[in-house]
């Protein structure tokens, strides 16, 4: 099984730096494979808890190299919840790569474990008769301190449902659980890795070298 690793996070940073420089990122140092994946960017502000800055991925299997290239940029620049990440924010960023595995159809909306499973919910909005869906990665509910019920209700809101959340509606949810491996890399770890393996720190054209 392919697991999330340091080289995948490095490639996401490389891809974002290359975007600001209008260049191609260096070739990745991991093998191709087909897996669902996510890229999450967080920003550390004044030494506090890292704050979400963008998170987008795919629940369908993608070529890992193309997938991480695409979603490194999509999550950084086109997550509609946040303004695009600017080059000046790079030193404050950390990147988490997730490789998703072990999809299972749940028996009901409570048939999963906080901290172990990510969840995908699908349901019909009774107000508009439209299908809605959304997902949380495995670490989200545990990080927020949610119960399973709280996570489900929050996810229904994330899916765009604004009506009353009733038990009968929850029972009509189709839930799929999954697991993931993750790897998180800070900006400083990225710089140290690049210096050690390439001999020089990356730069942004027209700006001082990152980390100086």
């Amino acid at each position: 099984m392919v697991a999330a690793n340091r080289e995948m996070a490095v490639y996401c940073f490389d891809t974002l730096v290359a975007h600001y420089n209008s260049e191609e990122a260096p070739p990745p140092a991991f093998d191709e494979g087909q897996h669902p994946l996510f890229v999450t960017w967080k920003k550390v502000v004044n030494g506090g808890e890292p704050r979400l800055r963008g998170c987008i991925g795919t629940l369908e299997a993608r070529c890992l190299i193309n997938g991480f290239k695409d979603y490194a940029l999509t999550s950084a620049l086109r997550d509609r919840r946040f303004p695009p990440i600017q080059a000046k924010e790079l030193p404050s960023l950390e990147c988490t790569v997730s490789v998703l595995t072990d999809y299972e159809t749940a028996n009901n909306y409570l048939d999963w474990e906080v901290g172990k499973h990510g969840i995908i919910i699908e349901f019909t909005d009774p107000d508009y008769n439209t299908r809605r869906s959304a997902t949380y990665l495995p670490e989200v509910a545990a990080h927020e301190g949610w119960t399973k019920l709280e996570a489900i209700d929050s996810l229904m809101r994330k899916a765009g449902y604004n009506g009353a959340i009733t038990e009968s509606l929850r029972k009509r949810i189709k839930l799929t659980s999954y697991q993931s491996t993750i790897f998180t890399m800070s900006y400083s770890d990225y710089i140290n890795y690049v210096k050690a393996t390439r001999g020089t720190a990356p730069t942004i054209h027209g700006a001082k070298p990152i980390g100086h």
Side-chain angles (χ1 to χ4, degrees), residues 36 38 58-60 100 103-106 109 112 117-123 132-137 152 155 173-178:
F38 271 74
T58 174
L59 299 170
E60 304 292 332
L100 279 48
Y103 281 57
E104 293 185 56
T105 301
Y109 74 89
W112 58 284
H117 295 115
I119 52 174
I120 306 163
I121 63 167
E122 300 172 80
F123 64 98
R132 297 193 180 277
S133 64
T135 187
Y136 278 144
L137 295 172
I152 290 295
L155 197 49
I173 288 172
K174 175 188 175 184
L175 188 143
T176 302
S177 67
Y178 58 88

Side-chain angles (χ1 to χ4, degrees), residues 50-155:
R51 300 176 183 174
L52 185 63
R53 203 53 189 80
C55 179
I56 296 179
T58 174
L59 299 170
E60 304 292 332
R62 281 285 308 272
C63 166
L64 290 176
I65 293 175
N66 290 337
F68 280 121
K69 181 178 181 178
D70 290 346
Y71 289 107
L73 294 178
T74 302
S75 60
L77 306 174
R78 292 185 286 278
D79 188 326
R80 291 177 292 179
R81 297 170 293 177
F82 306 98
I85 293 174
Q86 301 179 47
K88 65 183 181 181
E89 296 179 78
L90 277 166
S92 302
L93 294 182
E94 68 176 31
C95 178
T96 297
V97 291
S98 303
V99 177
L100 279 48
T101 60
D102 300 310
Y103 281 57
E104 293 185 56
T105 301
N107 293 320
N108 56 67
Y109 74 89
L110 295 175
D111 184 22
W112 58 284
E113 294 181 35
V114 173
K116 178 180 180 180
H117 295 115
I119 52 174
I120 306 163
I121 63 167
E122 300 172 80
F123 64 98
T124 299
D125 186 327
D127 296 330
Y128 298 96
N129 198 33
T130 56
R131 294 292 289 173
R132 297 193 180 277
S133 64
T135 187
Y136 278 144
L137 295 172
E139 58 268 26
V140 172
H143 179 268
E144 296 295 335
W146 288 333
T147 64
K148 287 191 279 190
L149 186 63
E150 289 170 337
I152 290 295
D153 288 359
S154 175
L155 197 49

Side-chain angles (χ1 to χ4, degrees), residues 16-32:
L16 192 54
V17 169
H19 165 77
Y20 295 128
N21 287 339
S22 299
E23 298 175 343
E24 287 293 320
F30 57 88
D31 294 331
E32 289 199 50

